[in-house]
Amino acid sequence: MAKIDLDKLDLDELKTLQKDVARAIDQYEAKKRKEALDAVEALAREKGFSLSELTGAAPAKKGKAPLPPKYRHPENPALTWSGRGRQPAWIKEGLEAGKSLDDYLIGK
């Protein structure tokens, strides 16, 4: 490796060098980590397992699927609610007007 004479660099060059070295170290570590993970996953597959099965870790989720709607607005079928989370305003208004949640059920 070429030796760098740090005494000849000004402050901006030293800071740039510091950032470049930190970035290079991060990239090197990420590359080695990926290589190790790939090798372990390949060995697990070779033995008939997935890595998550062996480590007890849950496989990565891609996000929750939205819940199917349970309630529908009687006049505007585009307005629905799954029954979870905060009640929509149209449900609250209907309940205050004396209706029940059963009045909004889909497929009753």
Side-chain angles (χ1 to χ4, degrees):
M1 182 174 92
K3 179 136 171 97
I4 299 173
D5 188 359
L6 300 177
D7 293 330
K8 291 185 179 181
L9 301 178
D10 65 21
L11 183 59
D12 287 338
E13 292 170 326
L14 287 169
K15 287 184 177 185
T16 299
L17 180 61
Q18 182 181 29
K19 288 178 188 175
D20 291 344
V21 168
R23 187 179 314 114
I25 290 171
D26 289 344
Q27 289 173 347
Y28 180 85
E29 289 175 340
K31 177 183 166 192
K32 289 298 181 181
R33 189 177 302 113
K34 183 174 180 348
E35 288 173 359
L37 183 59
D38 290 345
V40 172
E41 286 177 339
L43 182 60
R45 277 193 307 273
E46 190 178 295
K47 302 291 182 182
F49 297 98
S50 71
L51 187 57
S52 62
E53 287 176 315
L54 296 176
T55 61
K61 293 184 178 181
K62 296 189 174 148
K64 291 184 177 180
L67 293 171
K70 187 173 180 181
Y71 303 98
R72 178 171 286 131
H73 191 283
E75 296 164 12
N76 184 351
L79 298 175
T80 60
W81 180 48
S82 68
R84 295 231 181 130
R86 196 180 268 182
Q87 287 181 338
W90 56 269
I91 289 280
K92 287 181 184 178
E93 291 168 3
L95 294 175
E96 289 171 4
K99 292 189 175 190
S100 74
L101 280 178
D102 291 341
D103 296 327
Y104 299 103
L105 275 173
I106 296 173
K108 57 178 179 171

